[in-house]
Amino acid sequence: MDTVYQSTKANFPPLPFSSIKIMKIDAAAAAVQARRDKTIRFGLLSSIKAVENRSDEVMAHETEEKEVEENLNVSQIKQHLFAALQGINRGIFGVPSAKKSEIQNLVELLEAQNPTPEPTLCLEKVAGAWKLIYSTISILGSKRTKLGLRDFINLGDFIQTINVDQGKAVNVIEFSARGLTLLSGQLTIDASFKIVSNSRVDISYQKSVITPDQLMNVFRKNYDLLLQIFNPDGWLEITYVDDALRIGRDDKGNIFILERIEIC
């Protein structure tokens, strides 16, 4: 019996104390790691949940804004548009991107409610005099400097007069130059147009002149640049028109907003 017992002890020697200690440490480390993993998983799940909740809030807000916009009538959209156009000088010297996006959204809302979807079939809606109140054409950087628009030349009104019977459009850009005396004048650009679809016309430049001669002397060196900016050549899509307001988009991607005026 003693022989068998001793043989068994020989086959299974007792574990050293150091090995037992290592096993306890490993077990403790495993428990700590398990708690850490659980904490990380909980934190990750909480973060994901927070992101999902935030996304839901943003989507709900955007949906609410969209519903409000869709419920605005033309008069309300115009009020928002005119408010957005305050203080930006028709956009001619650039507009912050957020403001530009705001205006474009309002333009699209108006276009979606265009009361005259086929304007070239009723050109009396387009005929007459219009004043530009916004354009995405911008005179920036070196162009503005070359034309003197940073220092001594001011831009006045942009007026467009459309003669439907003759198929003509006359664009007048008013200027005033500061010097020894205040000099006022204008750039006049004559163009013709022809109907190419129920909402689009092709525009062809014909001639231009600056008056008086003193103002022409100011612009003579950069006259080609001036025409490059204001040349109406190309096509124009009339995307909105009513008795008081007109919106157009050209082949260069520009947007134009004009309001009807009376010329004595």
Side-chain angles (χ1 to χ4, degrees):
M1 188 71 173
D2 290 339
T3 303
V4 173
Y5 172 73
Q6 290 188 11
S7 175
T8 303
K9 280 182 71 176
N11 293 334
F12 300 97
L15 290 170
F17 175 75
S18 60
S19 299
I20 294 172
K21 188 176 181 181
I22 290 171
M23 290 177 65
K24 289 181 177 180
I25 292 172
D26 289 345
V32 170
Q33 185 63 45
R35 288 195 297 272
R36 185 177 297 164
D37 291 345
K38 185 177 180 180
T39 301
I40 292 172
R41 286 197 299 272
F42 178 76
L44 181 59
L45 289 172
S46 299
S47 299
I48 292 172
K49 189 66 176 176
V51 170
E52 288 176 346
N53 290 339
R54 178 60 180 161
S55 297
D56 290 342
E57 290 175 5
V58 171
M59 289 178 65
H61 181 67
E62 289 177 348
T63 301
E64 183 179 348
E65 281 189 340
K66 186 175 181 180
E67 289 175 352
V68 169
E69 288 178 347
E70 288 175 349
N71 290 328
L72 292 176
N73 60 38
V74 168
S75 178
Q76 292 169 323
I77 298 170
K78 283 185 177 182
Q79 288 177 8
H80 286 292
L81 178 61
F82 289 136
L85 295 178
Q86 292 297 314
I88 62 170
N89 194 10
R90 295 153 292 183
I92 198 68
F93 297 127
V95 179
S97 58
K99 174 66 71 174
K100 191 172 184 178
S101 295
E102 178 189 2
I103 294 169
Q104 183 163 330
N105 288 338
L106 292 167
V107 164
E108 290 172 357
L109 288 175
L110 279 177
E111 290 172 335
Q113 300 188 47
N114 183 12
T116 317
E118 298 180 326
T120 60
L121 300 185
C122 46
L123 282 177
E124 67 276 5
K125 288 279 190 180
V126 178
W130 301 83
K131 181 171 73 172
L132 183 76
I133 58 175
Y134 177 74
S135 169
T136 53
I137 292 177
S138 297
I139 306 175
L140 304 173
S142 61
K143 289 183 179 180
R144 185 175 177 183
T145 301
K146 286 180 179 179
L147 294 173
L149 298 175
R150 291 186 184 276
D151 305 311
F152 62 95
I153 297 177
N154 291 328
L155 282 173
D157 287 335
F158 293 54
I159 306 297
Q160 182 180 73
T161 304
I162 298 176
N163 186 319
V164 171
D165 294 334
Q166 296 180 9
K168 304 288 185 183
V170 178
N171 302 294
V172 175
I173 299 97
E174 297 177 349
F175 295 94
S176 59
R178 296 187 298 275
L180 296 176
T181 59
L182 186 64
L183 176 66
S184 297
Q186 63 188 37
L187 166 66
T188 302
I189 301 175
D190 290 354
S192 62
F193 67 87
K194 63 179 181 179
I195 296 170
V196 293
S197 78
N198 290 348
S199 60
R200 181 178 295 186
V201 294
D202 278 346
I203 302 174
S204 300
Y205 167 84
Q206 290 189 316
K207 63 179 181 179
S208 63
V209 62
I210 292 181
T211 55
D213 290 340
Q214 295 95 316
L215 190 62
M216 181 61 190
N217 292 335
V218 172
F219 283 118
R220 190 178 305 279
K221 183 178 178 181
N222 294 298
Y223 190 59
D224 289 343
L225 174 60
L226 196 64
L227 287 183
Q228 176 187 330
I229 295 169
F230 297 112
N231 191 340
D233 257 347
W235 56 256
L236 179 74
E237 190 87 18
I238 304 168
T239 56
Y240 180 94
V241 63
D242 60 21
D243 293 335
L245 194 73
R246 175 162 60 92
I247 299 173
R249 295 176 182 260
D250 70 8
D251 55 308
K252 304 167 190 70
N254 294 307
I255 295 174
F256 305 90
I257 306 175
L258 305 95
E259 62 179 356
R260 185 180 290 281
I261 60 172
E262 295 295 331
I263 295 181
C264 300

